[in-house]
Amino acid sequence: MNDVLPFPPVKDAWLHTARWRAVEATFREVCRRYGYREIRTPILEHTELFKRSIGEATDIVSKEMFTFETRGGKSLTMKPEGTAPAVRACLEHGLFSDHPVLKLYYVGQNFRYERGQKGRYRQHQQLGVEVFGAVDPAIDAEVIQLAMEFYRTIGITDQALKINSVGTPQSRAAFLEALRDYARPHLADYSQEGQQRFELNALRMLDTKDQGDLRLLENAPRLVDYLDDESKVHFEKLQSYLAEAGVAFEIDHRLVRGFDYYTRTAFEIVGTNLGAQSALGGGGRYDGLVEECGGPSTPGIGFGLGMERCMLVLDTLGIQLPVDDESPLAFIVTLGEEAKVRPAAVRLLAEIRAAGISADMDYRYKKFGQQARTADDLGARYLLVLGDGELDRGVVGLRNQTTKDQRDVPLTDIVSELQGIA
RNA sequence: GCGAUUGUAGCUCAGUCGGUUAGAGUGCCAGGUUGUGGCCCUGGAGGUCGCGGGUUCGAAUCCCGUCAUUCGCCCCA
């Protein structure tokens, strides 16, 4: 993760706190509209949780986790993803029994021990949702729709939605056998990577960028043809529900996901302008996960969207975001005898702020020009000039920073005057 | 984890063949100009030359390692 800064950086404009807040706010608003509630889980979890849920053989667990031992000898891991911790938290607090259908969202940091590059960071933030307790493909469609709605709302429209079904563990086993039978006779022609995957995790053979492998796989068996009846119906219904909701998608028969716990629905949202890191987000169904974590048999589905990648795309598309105005409305500039004028400034500032108006002052007591420059740096719209002359007359100079017009306003009226402006 | 790339002031960058006290522009601060700025002039502060080790009389410069960046691979968000 990069540092996100309080003022827009000249370079890397996407690393501006206000922009991040705007994107997070958009996500929260979309979640609110869809009926999702926020869950926050800690960064540290027992290592075992991830090993069991994500799978020992996956890249994430085998080489990408920040893991360490406590003094008591327990193994802890900084969470590499948000789903398993959410499951753990819900189990621990009995949320599954209290709420037959649970719709959750989170904004959180994930950690993966890997080489950084643009769009990929060891600490990255994900915006995600999880739904527990619903098998209806309509909820799959809703989750996908929510993700697409989020992108549409912030202004990213050139992303593509790819969907597939990875079936149940049983149907997947049958498919894997067929896939291996298909590849075995020409195994030597596959890339080194492809051959390794054939041995370790044949499903991943499909997820290759190697042109030669892609040619060899052209007539390979497809996951959809090996789905059990229920999964097949589920996938078909999902497609029709997406169509009902007006969400455009394409079926990608080679789409498989990196975690072991996915069942049936798998999807990915792919963007442009991100170089090698093209995945904006992804997710899928995980009907066996809760049980795997020691809970009751509970279906689930969710997704995670990469915050950094989202920010980068917004940046390259030059999209303006409705960022908060953090500039003070008024900035007090003091002149003249310090002992007389500074206490008056402190009092005036307190009054203005108590009235709900943002205001600031220069705490260095420099000459006028310096104070005014500080006001400009902060983007103040008005200067309140307070000198001993003004104090003697019981007024304050109200200076419009845009027009440079300045007029005296009685000290007793300045708060209501500012309220009128704001 | 693999291959390549870059790393000098807050920012953008010079720095020759290894040789004096590492420079410029910009920004910041101050003075010119005790109470009305942004221009201009003058001055000032600001540097573990990414970090650690090595070679050498001498290293920003050469070598090794390491960390970080960027690009690709793997994987993912």
Side-chain angles (χ1 to χ4, degrees):
Chain A
M1 144 137 189
N2 291 279
D3 296 315
V4 181
L5 305 170
F7 294 93
V10 178
K11 212 174 62 171
D12 299 321
W14 62 288
L15 294 173
H16 183 198
T17 322
R19 283 175 76 84
W20 283 57
R21 232 179 9 243
V23 171
E24 287 171 10
T26 299
F27 182 69
R28 288 175 197 280
E29 162 53 23
V30 174
C31 286
R32 187 198 60 79
R33 217 185 308 155
Y34 278 69
Y36 288 68
R37 299 192 183 216
E38 185 179 10
I39 186 168
R40 301 191 185 196
T41 64
I43 285 166
L44 295 176
E45 296 278 357
H46 290 297
T47 304
E48 192 54 29
L49 174 66
F50 301 114
K51 284 190 175 176
R52 288 180 55 175
S53 59
I54 301 172
E56 294 258 16
T58 59
D59 283 311
I60 287 192
V61 172
S62 62
K63 63 176 190 186
E64 290 177 7
M65 297 204 302
F66 283 97
T67 297
F68 62 93
E69 278 202 359
T70 64
R71 294 181 193 184
K74 284 192 173 172
S75 181
L76 297 183
T77 292
M78 298 169 78
K79 61 175 171 180
E81 60 105 31
T83 303
V87 170
R88 193 231 79 232
C90 290
L91 279 173
E92 208 169 299
H93 301 282
L95 296 189
F96 293 133
S97 20
D98 283 352
H99 309 277
V101 175
L102 248 190
K103 306 208 310 186
L104 306 172
Y105 80 88
Y106 59 85
V107 173
Q109 303 292 336
N110 290 344
F111 301 83
R112 291 188 197 163
Y113 201 136
E114 53 188 345
R115 248 329 237 291
Q117 66 190 65
K118 189 170 188 176
R120 193 182 72 186
Y121 308 93
R122 287 191 305 210
Q123 173 174 352
H124 73 277
Q125 187 164 306
Q126 277 187 24
L127 308 172
V129 309
E130 315 287 352
V131 178
F132 299 102
V135 283
D136 186 347
I139 195 70
D140 301 41
E142 176 182 287
V143 162
I144 291 172
Q145 203 187 333
L146 192 161
M148 300 306 277
E149 174 101 348
F150 162 73
Y151 285 120
R152 191 186 60 74
T153 306
I154 55 172
I156 297 177
T157 53
D158 66 337
Q159 81 284 30
L161 170 65
K162 296 179 175 180
I163 64 169
N164 196 18
S165 176
V166 295
T168 62
Q170 292 74 32
S171 71
R172 198 152 60 233
F175 168 77
L176 278 176
E177 202 171 315
L179 181 61
R180 285 210 187 83
D181 287 344
Y182 170 86
R184 196 172 289 114
H186 305 284
L187 192 56
D189 298 332
Y190 284 83
S191 65
Q192 199 181 350
E193 193 63 41
Q195 294 183 40
Q196 277 172 8
R197 288 172 171 179
F198 179 87
E199 301 296 340
L200 292 170
N201 184 355
L203 200 58
R204 297 219 59 82
M205 287 182 79
L206 299 175
D207 188 24
T208 183
K209 292 172 192 163
D210 187 278
Q211 288 302 313
D213 288 8
L214 285 174
R215 257 196 307 281
L216 287 163
L217 288 166
E218 236 164 46
N219 298 311
R222 301 186 309 178
L223 271 159
V224 278
D225 298 324
Y226 286 79
L227 293 180
D228 56 285
D229 290 344
E230 265 188 79
S231 294
K232 191 173 288 178
V233 170
H234 188 98
F235 192 40
E236 282 162 3
K237 280 189 177 171
L238 166 64
Q239 293 172 52
S240 73
Y241 287 147
L242 283 175
E244 290 292 341
V247 177
F249 62 89
E250 54 186 276
I251 296 174
D252 182 349
H253 292 293
R254 293 189 298 104
L255 172 62
V256 294
R257 305 275 304 155
F259 305 160
D260 284 356
Y261 57 61
Y262 283 113
T263 57
R264 294 186 178 166
T265 306
F267 66 95
E268 232 169 64
I269 297 159
V270 183
T272 51
N273 298 316
L274 280 173
Q277 313 303 331
S278 61
L280 281 180
R285 179 164 277 282
Y286 41 83
D287 290 338
L289 180 59
V290 175
E291 209 168 353
E292 183 62 38
C293 291
S297 173
T298 308
I301 180 166
F303 69 70
L305 308 176
M307 186 81 182
E308 284 79 0
R309 290 183 186 178
C310 180
M311 301 308 294
L312 282 166
V313 170
L314 287 171
D315 195 46
T316 51
L317 294 179
I319 291 173
Q320 297 298 311
L321 295 170
V323 298
D324 307 334
D325 181 10
E326 297 178 274
S327 305
L329 178 69
F331 191 94
I332 299 178
V333 169
T334 53
L335 295 167
E337 197 186 331
E338 184 173 352
K340 184 174 171 186
V341 113
R342 299 293 277 179
V346 169
R347 193 184 328 122
L348 178 58
L349 190 56
E351 266 178 56
I352 294 170
R353 287 169 170 171
I357 293 166
S358 63
D360 213 337
M361 65 183 278
D362 192 311
Y363 291 99
R364 300 172 306 173
Y365 200 60
K366 302 288 168 146
K367 63 184 186 180
F368 182 90
Q370 289 303 318
Q371 297 186 57
R373 204 176 300 170
T374 303
D376 285 343
D377 181 48
L378 297 175
R381 281 166 58 199
Y382 288 87
L383 238 47
L384 297 180
V385 181
L386 198 57
D388 14 38
E390 281 80 2
L391 271 182
D392 290 343
R393 285 180 282 130
V395 300
V396 59
L398 178 65
R399 184 178 174 89
N400 183 319
Q401 283 290 73
T402 315
T403 63
K404 300 296 184 247
D405 290 337
Q406 184 171 333
R407 64 192 163 89
D408 284 350
V409 174
L411 269 167
T412 48
D413 297 346
I414 189 65
V415 169
S416 56
E417 183 79 26
L418 287 172
Q419 278 172 327
I421 294 167

